[in-house]
Amino acid sequence: MDSATPARLHVLLARDAPHAVVIRRGPSKHTAVIGWNRETDTFSLGQWLRGRIYERRCDLSPDGEHFLYFAMNGKWASSVKGSWTAISRAPYLKAITLFAKGDCWNGGGLFRYNHSYRLNEGLYAHALQWQDASLRRVDDADWQRQPGECPGIYYERLARDGWIAGVAYGDGSGGGVLPFDKPISDRWLLRKYAHAGPARHAGRGCYFDTHALVDRREGTTIAKDAWEWADVDRGRLVWAANGILGTTRIDTEGEPGADTLLHDFNAMKFERLVAPY
């Protein structure tokens, strides 16, 4: 793709295994899902979709084996009515459980355990097409937040995965920002600013994240506005910006070290691929 328009990246880390999926978007109607082995930092392409995957309404099972996602291709006369929630074998997209949606209200869900999940549904129901016998839907009555758009899933997932929410504040354009913190070391915090609002920002949309490193000893903050995704992976800092995935060494008492490139996803182009199942 045009180097002036970098790919957009979002990552889901399996919480009980060294696996992850990278959701790569770009151009806007092309989305790829890539597997990431976090022990070897190697990557394997799953499949492409001519459409949109709503990354903030997605989840990865704790063991990294299954990918729950909400997608839209706008083919409203199709059997899935143009949008759907599916569960696949990560990092592929071929559905082993499939729910037709027909709109973009709510959708997606969260894994509770490796083989049980909750849908983000509320008043806007799904229509089950088929379900893998090993997977079980559970009642969503115990959501900490009401089902809804991207924040309804995303903030719940962040809290589950160890992020501590702060106090929300306005962004000056009718939207809001909710900060989340996760410790990197005794000295350093990773801060995620989750932006949500009606205004669409170029290259980011109406839901996006920025980040900062917070030095708790000195009381200073290092802005990392270009990081569209970042997390702490078993003690190391990992981040995505401008279509690349990288890592930064953070010493317990020292300053942040040099950035290390893990993978550049910008040159990828759409391919028709068949899942091996």
Side-chain angles (χ1 to χ4, degrees):
M1 61 188 297
D2 186 346
S3 60
T5 309
R8 294 166 62 179
L9 303 178
H10 189 84
V11 183
L12 300 170
L13 304 180
R15 55 191 187 271
D16 293 339
H19 305 304
V21 294
V22 179
I23 303 171
R24 179 213 182 271
R25 184 182 178 197
S28 61
K29 299 299 184 182
H30 295 77
T31 307
V33 177
I34 302 103
W36 173 19
N37 183 323
R38 288 149 49 209
E39 287 188 331
T40 61
D41 286 331
T42 54
F43 299 86
S44 57
L45 176 60
Q47 287 180 290
W48 283 84
L49 171 72
R50 289 191 186 274
R52 169 78 192 277
I53 292 177
Y54 289 77
E55 65 281 348
R56 284 167 173 75
R57 306 185 208 181
C58 298
D59 199 15
L60 191 62
S61 61
D63 60 8
E65 295 296 320
H66 293 102
F67 175 43
L68 190 160
Y69 66 94
F70 178 61
M72 184 271 288
N73 64 7
K75 297 180 180 180
W76 307 113
S78 68
S79 61
V80 292
K81 306 176 185 178
S83 64
W84 63 97
T85 294
I87 300 176
S88 64
R89 296 177 185 169
Y92 302 97
L93 291 171
K94 180 182 177 182
I96 59 174
T97 291
L98 180 65
F99 293 88
K101 190 68 174 67
D103 55 48
C104 291
W105 297 107
N106 302 343
L110 290 175
F111 279 101
R112 196 168 190 177
Y113 304 109
N114 286 329
H115 295 280
S116 61
Y117 63 93
R118 298 176 290 178
L119 288 183
N120 179 38
E121 191 164 80
L123 298 176
Y124 303 96
H126 293 77
L128 177 64
Q129 306 297 292
W130 62 78
Q131 176 157 290
D132 186 277
S134 70
L135 299 171
R136 181 173 63 91
R137 179 181 175 181
V138 296
D139 192 350
D140 64 0
D142 60 345
W143 282 104
Q144 291 184 23
R145 294 178 174 84
Q146 291 297 314
E149 298 307 296
C150 294
I153 290 285
Y154 186 46
Y155 297 169
E156 179 84 1
R157 171 157 57 86
L158 290 176
R160 181 199 67 192
D161 292 345
W163 291 88
I164 300 170
V167 178
Y169 58 91
D171 65 0
S173 60
V177 181
L178 181 58
F180 289 85
D181 287 347
K182 182 178 278 192
I184 305 170
S185 67
D186 291 341
R187 177 178 175 182
W188 292 95
L189 278 176
L190 174 61
R191 179 161 294 161
K192 183 186 298 288
Y193 298 101
H195 300 253
R200 299 189 66 83
H201 300 261
R204 285 179 161 172
C206 56
Y207 300 112
F208 65 94
D209 295 345
T210 56
H211 295 83
L213 297 176
V214 179
D215 186 338
R216 293 187 282 187
R217 188 180 70 188
E218 301 296 331
T220 57
T221 299
I222 303 172
K224 295 291 183 180
D225 290 344
W227 290 0
E228 60 183 332
W229 172 87
D231 211 328
V232 181
D233 172 28
R234 300 168 300 165
R236 68 172 177 170
L237 175 62
V238 286
W239 48 265
N242 299 314
I244 67 171
L245 187 66
T247 182
T248 302
R249 188 185 74 254
I250 302 289
D251 294 331
T252 300
E253 293 301 326
E255 301 297 325
D259 296 340
T260 299
L261 173 69
L262 295 179
H263 198 80
D264 187 335
F265 296 90
N266 282 301
M268 296 176 65
K269 296 184 182 298
F270 182 88
E271 302 177 58
R272 292 187 181 276
L273 300 170
V274 177
Y277 59 87

